[in-house]
């Protein structure tokens, strides 16, 4: 993708604060971090989002996740890390090249990631689970 900034960053055409690189991914510090050390893992091949991805590519990319998360935690001494991935504008995606966030978290920090807990009527969850399962 000629006009994709994450393609350019992942492949080294635009310099970035890189913390890890292998043949499949580059992991860089996010330019507008939720907390210092907030990193994004960017695959070297272009996929717009998870719906545009195949299992084998995701499997290759994901192999480095535990190592990257542990390195961030060791260096920062954070108490936890959110690993998250947005798909579609409705889900907060702003760059249309699949990427995975690593957000360092501290006890009682002010980072906002969350939702209000909803609920199901009697039998609704089982019915919905069955419908989704039929599409897997
Ligand atoms: P998302 O909202 O999940 O699409 O996340 C996109 C992320 O990419 C945001 O957290 C941005 O701060 C980050 N970002 C956008 N452009 C750059 C860039 N040139 N270098 C580093 N991070 C970037
Ligand atoms: Zn791209």
């Amino acid at each position: 993708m000629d006009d994709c900034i994450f393609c350019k960053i992942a492949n080294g055409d635009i310099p970035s604060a890189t913390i890890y690189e292998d043949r499949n991914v580059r992991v860089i510090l996010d330019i507008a971090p939720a907390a210092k050390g907030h990193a994004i893992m960017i695959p070297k091949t272009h996929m717009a989002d998870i719906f545009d991805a195949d299992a084998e590519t995701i499997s290759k990319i994901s192999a480095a996740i535990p190592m990257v998360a542990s390195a961030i935690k060791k260096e920062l001494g954070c108490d936890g890390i959110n690993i998250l991935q947005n798909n579609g504008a409705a889900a907060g995606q702003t760059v249309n090249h699949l990427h995975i966030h690593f957000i360092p978290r501290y006890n009682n920090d002010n980072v906002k990631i969350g939702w209000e807990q909803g609920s199901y009527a009697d039998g609704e969850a089982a019915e919905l689970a069955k419908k989704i399962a039929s599409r897997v």
Side-chain angles (χ1 to χ4, degrees):
M1 287 277 288
D2 287 349
D3 58 348
C4 173
I5 187 165
F6 277 12
C7 278
K8 289 181 183 143
I9 291 173
N11 292 292
D13 299 330
I14 294 178
S16 60
T18 296
I19 62 175
Y20 175 78
E21 183 186 7
D22 63 26
R23 64 204 306 257
N24 302 304
V25 295
R26 181 186 294 271
V27 184
I28 67 167
L29 291 184
D30 194 294
I31 205 168
K36 295 221 169 117
H38 175 173
I40 42 180
M41 173 178 277
I42 309 175
K44 290 188 174 179
T45 54
H46 184 88
M47 293 162 281
D49 54 27
I50 200 74
F51 309 114
D52 192 27
D54 64 82
E56 194 186 338
T57 308
I58 293 296
S59 169
K60 283 183 186 159
I61 292 162
S62 303
I65 289 177
M67 191 171 50
V68 169
S70 296
I72 292 170
K73 188 167 188 290
K74 269 187 212 150
E75 177 55 30
L76 296 175
C78 53
D79 299 308
I81 294 186
N82 289 112
I83 296 174
L84 61 90
Q85 196 264 319
N86 299 324
N87 298 284
Q93 185 175 13
T94 59
V95 178
N96 293 324
H97 175 129
L98 185 146
H99 52 280
I100 300 165
H101 292 264
F102 296 74
I103 303 179
R105 300 299 305 272
Y106 299 87
N107 296 328
N108 305 313
D109 68 21
N110 282 321
V111 175
K112 305 271 178 291
I113 297 164
W115 52 88
E116 283 180 26
Q117 290 185 313
S119 61
Y120 288 107
D122 274 357
E124 193 183 354
E127 193 183 328
L128 182 58
K130 213 166 146 188
K131 284 183 179 165
I132 297 171
S134 75
R135 293 180 184 269
V136 172

